Amino acid sequence: MRPQRFDVIIIGGGSAGCTIAARLSEDPGRQVLLLEAGPDPQPIPDSIKLASREARSLMESPHIVMYPTVRKGDGSTFYKVSGRVMGGGSSVNAMAAIRPTRSDLDRWASLGNPGWSFDECLPLLKRIETDADYPDSPIHGSDGPLYVKRPFILGDPADEPAAAFIERAMAMGLPLCADLNVPDPFGVCTAPYNIKDGIRQSTTVAYLDPARGRPNLHIVDEAIVTSLKITGDRVEQVVYEKDGQSQSASGERVVLCAGAYQSPQILMLSGIGPAAELKRLGIDVKNALAGVGENYQDHATVSMTFEGRSDFRPDWVIPRFRLMFKSDPSFPCGNFHITQRPPTRVEGLAAMMPVSASLVEQRARGRLRLVSTDPHELLEIDDAMLVDPDDRKAVATAMQFIYDLVQHPSMEGFYGPIIYPGSDDDWEQHARNTHGTYHHGVGTCMMGPASDPMAVVDSTLRVHGMENLWVADASIMPTVTHANTNLTTIMIGERLSDLLKEA
Amino acid sequence: MLFEGKIPVHAEPSAVWKLLLDINEFADCVPGVSNVVKIDDSTFDGTIAASVGPISGEFAFRAHIIESDPPRAMAAHVDGTDSVTKSSMTAEMAMTLARLGANETELTYHATVDIRGRLALIGDMVLMATAKLIIQEFTKRLRRKVEVVPAPG
Ligand SMILES: Cc1cc2nc3c(=O)[nH]c(=O)nc-3n(C[C@H](O)[C@H](O)[C@H](O)COP(=O)(O)OP(=O)(O)OC[C@H]3O[C@@H](n4cnc5c(N)ncnc54)[C@H](O)[C@@H]3O)c2cc1C
């Protein structure tokens, strides 16, 4: 039976939300409500479940939200994406299970966030996973809910273009790195994935499903939270739409896990955010916090496309590895993921073989702006990607590295001349005009001390100035990790669960 | 996305114009195009098949000539939908032919392409690279069909 009042209400059943719902409902005495905007299909449809459907599912799935974003270079539009279904991003993402680096977490700690250094977070990272390749390693876990495995191990047989790519990268000075999840990864790395026997291990599968039977865990799907009713420093009610009706729930504690694009929106619609912005839209300011929606960061991806050799067999497979490249050798870990991409084919044309570089850091900070008070309207994104000259320079360095790697006699059998950009084009400008995203938007409810005017939550993830409101998702990251962001977000969920259990 | 450029052709503008207006000849110059059907004098339908990594799809389009000033300028509007994601594409294209001398024509093209829907997630870089190769191949085939004297090089 649904209680009158919950101990904890979790808004958003994504990577962090499902983790928290499962952990907090371990105590049968704690009544937990999970509100998720998307559906909670059971059984999970093949389009989500089967790892092999990932690329196609991104193209076809009804569970995707696309956020138009204007490139700074030429004003053209591309799209950020999030998942709107139980599991959130973990139900639609590419399933790379990559840890934050030591330098990422140590930096978070150094920004005034005690408890978040790499060494202090390592126990959380370990308890998340069952690492099928390194169960006995002191830095890996062997009995956590999330199954992690490297589908390709360096030395495994690989199709010739991939084998040649790896060999050439090594000849250019990159070391072999058997585990991308070491604290300072660099080189030719095997990449871990949360895929078990071909099945996506979303947080729905890894965390929520085993907890579903608990009578104290209440799950409401297709429930869109529109605002929080706030009195003083407390959230009194969570207001949501379900079946076209406005409903509400009250809870002792409220945890916002709606992701980097929606958590700031819910805060602002509830009167927590930059005062001038809220006033402009006629929203009653409950708690002026300048940082809500600010500090946005993402990873920019650029591709270079080469002609594929027509005489090479078209069915070659790219194994799951990536180059972790440093655009500056003095960096503590790689700042690019470089990957071979599958060919594009059009009848009558040479195959097109892209190689992409994702800059896994961002120096400039973007922001999300509330456009109206309509909770269904998407926030406007000003992502500031490739605005900083050092980011642009780094991208040009990575592009030159790719060019030098591919345009070498040892690669001639597979890669032909460059198609796009042209060798005479301005590559930096080209990157600014055509880049995409690695889909790792974060930072819009930044964690930091009260002395930092941009901080939204403190190091216990409680919203500054609020008594019973926490944010725990990708939005709290002070800086984007040098890694794909899902595992870090799950780690944030694990940390919040501990903090609330202790509180 | 914006595509623009110039294609020099060793032929008279009238010969290039004639080819551009002959739907089958024109379609023959565009790689990947098939199932071309003439609807009326200024409209034709067709499909382009492409595969991007593991995803193969067919792009069905209708091209409609909206302005024609023979043998100097033409404007066309193209609408398309892809079979996998049901994304839509619209393109506004303009071509002009300038006579530079005997058997010397410069074809100038300018196209703005707008993609709405999931297809946009494939990424502009892939789409631009594809467009660049299509234009290169179009140039080759066009020249082969209309040039009186083989182009040097
Ligand atoms: C296409 C794609 C590929 C990616 N690939 C990888 C990868 O391979 N590896 C990796 O590590 N990371 C990857 N990521 C990133 C990673 O998945 C995200 O960083 C992570 O899922 C973010 O988790 P979150 O909990 O912050 O937000 P989400 O997982 O997005 O969860 C937010 C949840 O809140 C719900 N919600 C939103 N608004 C409301 C509301 N108003 N009311 C109720 N519920 C609401 C949403 O429906 C969603 O379920 C990818 C992301 C995408 C989009």
Side-chain angles (χ1 to χ4, degrees):
Chain A
M1 221 185 75
R2 185 178 155 148
Q4 287 290 304
R5 189 173 169 80
F6 296 91
D7 294 301
V8 181
I9 299 177
I10 299 160
I11 300 170
S15 299
C18 286
T19 303
I20 297 166
R23 289 298 188 199
L24 291 183
S25 61
E26 281 167 358
D27 175 354
R30 186 183 288 117
Q31 294 291 333
V32 176
L33 172 65
L34 174 62
L35 298 170
E36 164 55 40
D40 182 19
Q42 289 171 69
I44 296 173
D46 284 355
S47 59
I48 295 177
K49 189 169 94 176
L50 300 180
S52 57
R53 295 273 188 95
E54 168 231 324
R56 202 176 167 99
S57 152
L58 189 63
M59 289 291 129
E60 296 175 314
S61 162
H63 311 304
I64 298 269
V65 184
M66 288 170 71
Y67 305 82
T69 310
V70 173
R71 289 189 188 90
K72 296 291 171 213
D74 63 356
S76 55
T77 299
F78 71 113
Y79 295 88
K80 311 273 179 170
V81 169
S82 71
R84 177 162 281 213
V85 62
M86 193 60 85
S90 76
S91 291
V92 303
N93 71 13
M95 297 163 286
I98 320 289
R99 286 179 171 185
T101 65
R102 177 184 293 281
S103 56
D104 290 324
L105 296 178
D106 287 353
R107 181 154 178 219
W108 292 10
S110 75
L111 291 169
N113 299 299
W116 288 89
S117 70
F118 183 84
D119 288 338
E120 287 163 302
C121 290
L122 186 58
L124 298 173
L125 290 168
K126 284 170 69 173
R127 93 172 183 218
I128 290 171
E129 65 181 17
T130 291
D131 190 317
D133 300 312
Y134 296 103
D136 302 322
S137 153
I139 62 161
H140 284 297
S142 57
D143 56 2
L146 192 75
Y147 180 89
V148 170
K149 185 166 173 57
R150 292 144 196 81
F152 172 74
I153 301 283
L154 293 169
D156 281 354
D159 281 336
E160 294 104 302
F165 193 90
I166 290 174
E167 225 165 86
R168 173 83 185 116
M170 287 166 62
M172 289 175 75
L174 290 193
L176 285 181
C177 173
D179 180 13
L180 187 48
N181 279 346
V182 293
D184 310 295
F186 167 57
V188 183
C189 304
T190 58
Y193 283 79
N194 45 277
I195 299 172
K196 188 177 186 184
D197 301 328
I199 307 294
R200 172 191 292 276
Q201 302 298 296
S202 61
T203 51
T204 320
V205 172
Y207 281 89
L208 196 63
D209 283 350
R212 280 186 194 277
R214 297 173 187 161
N216 59 321
L217 175 59
H218 309 266
I219 301 171
V220 185
D221 69 346
E222 298 183 324
I224 301 170
V225 172
T226 53
S227 68
L228 312 173
K229 275 218 171 96
I230 295 170
T231 309
D233 61 1
R234 288 187 62 84
V235 177
E236 296 298 345
Q237 280 187 326
V238 175
V239 183
Y240 63 97
E241 286 175 7
K242 169 85 183 155
D243 302 328
Q245 308 279 317
S246 179
Q247 306 199 15
S248 65
S250 57
E252 194 52 38
R253 293 162 175 179
V254 175
V255 187
L256 197 44
C257 305
Y261 299 103
Q262 313 253 253
S263 284
Q265 182 172 26
I266 294 171
L267 286 178
M268 288 192 264
L269 290 174
S270 311
I272 302 176
E277 281 287 293
L278 301 186
K279 282 184 196 149
R280 180 176 62 83
L281 292 164
I283 298 170
D284 191 15
V285 180
K286 303 283 186 184
N287 180 4
L289 279 179
V292 176
E294 299 287 330
N295 189 49
Y296 178 83
Q297 295 152 72
D298 191 1
H299 294 156
T301 298
V302 299
S303 294
M304 302 182 79
T305 304
F306 301 85
E307 251 180 50
R309 291 299 185 197
S310 55
D311 47 356
F312 191 74
R313 63 187 174 80
D315 61 341
W316 69 279
V317 175
I318 301 170
R320 292 183 187 262
F321 76 97
R322 64 193 70 186
L323 310 183
M324 190 102 189
F325 168 74
K326 291 180 187 179
S327 63
D328 177 336
S330 71
F331 289 161
C333 65
N335 62 332
F336 280 92
H337 285 180
I338 292 179
T339 44
Q340 289 181 295
R341 314 292 308 170
T344 300
R345 291 170 195 283
V346 175
E347 186 64 37
L349 293 182
M352 288 160 267
M353 305 233 292
V355 178
S356 68
S358 295
L359 173 63
V360 287
E361 58 192 11
Q362 181 176 324
R363 286 169 184 79
R365 300 290 181 256
R367 64 194 293 235
L368 307 184
R369 273 183 75 233
L370 205 53
V371 177
S372 79
T373 53
D374 178 357
H376 302 282
E377 190 156 357
L378 301 178
L379 293 181
E380 188 180 272
I381 302 179
D382 170 2
D383 69 1
M385 287 218 286
L386 301 188
V387 160
D388 189 282
D390 286 340
D391 282 348
R392 299 212 293 269
K393 228 174 82 195
V395 166
T397 306
M399 291 171 85
Q400 187 63 50
F401 175 82
I402 291 174
Y403 185 84
D404 294 344
L405 192 155
V406 164
Q407 301 290 290
H408 183 265
S410 63
M411 302 297 288
E412 255 172 17
F414 320 108
Y415 287 88
I418 189 158
I419 302 171
Y420 193 72
S423 10
D424 298 333
D425 291 346
D426 176 345
W427 288 359
E428 227 179 273
Q429 191 56 38
H430 164 85
R432 295 190 74 209
N433 293 352
T434 61
H435 69 80
T437 164
Y438 206 11
H439 300 298
H440 299 146
V442 304
T444 49
C445 298
M446 181 181 101
M447 170 172 69
S451 55
D452 183 339
M454 285 296 125
V456 174
V457 298
D458 64 19
S459 63
T460 70
L461 305 183
R462 197 193 306 235
V463 175
H464 285 295
M466 299 298 294
E467 218 268 307
N468 67 340
L469 178 61
W470 286 260
V471 182
D473 57 26
S475 69
I476 70 98
M477 298 186 200
T479 55
V480 69
T481 51
H482 288 79
N484 312 51
T485 44
N486 191 41
L487 221 48
T488 309
T489 308
I490 296 174
M491 181 196 87
I492 290 164
E494 289 276 7
R495 167 55 58 84
L496 189 276
S497 308
D498 284 355
L499 290 164
L500 286 198
K501 281 178 185 174
E502 287 158 14
Chain B
M1 275 179 291
L2 173 70
F3 302 97
E4 52 189 1
K6 293 180 190 305
I7 304 175
V9 189
H10 296 286
E12 287 296 325
S14 55
V16 179
W17 184 264
K18 193 164 161 253
L19 182 138
L20 293 178
L21 277 196
D22 182 328
I23 301 301
N24 290 319
E25 285 286 317
F26 174 74
D28 215 24
C29 290
V30 186
V33 168
S34 56
N35 306 324
V36 175
V37 179
K38 183 172 171 178
I39 306 297
D40 58 41
D41 277 351
S42 60
T43 313
F44 71 97
D45 289 351
T47 54
I48 294 188
S51 63
V52 179
I55 305 165
S56 300
E58 242 183 29
F59 209 87
F61 65 88
R62 168 162 293 187
H64 183 62
I65 297 170
I66 47 178
E67 256 178 64
S68 161
D69 174 16
R72 276 186 299 272
M74 182 194 292
H77 173 87
V78 183
D79 274 314
T81 319
D82 93 283
S83 59
V84 176
T85 68
K86 310 289 174 252
S87 304
S88 69
M89 183 275 283
T90 53
E92 302 298 338
M93 310 208 292
M95 277 196 258
T96 55
L97 299 180
R99 187 168 190 272
L100 301 181
N103 275 335
E104 292 294 338
T105 301
E106 186 175 68
L107 186 161
T108 305
Y109 61 89
H110 176 103
T112 48
V113 179
D114 188 21
I115 290 175
R116 263 177 254 112
R118 298 294 171 82
L119 193 64
L121 294 181
I122 283 182
D124 287 9
M125 288 194 170
V126 171
L127 299 169
M128 302 280 272
T130 309
K132 190 168 170 181
L133 274 196
I134 288 180
I135 292 166
Q136 273 174 12
E137 184 62 25
F138 173 80
T139 306
K140 260 197 243 162
R141 294 185 188 183
L142 172 75
R143 284 177 173 162
R144 215 181 295 140
K145 277 182 188 284
V146 298
E147 286 191 343
V148 207
V149 189

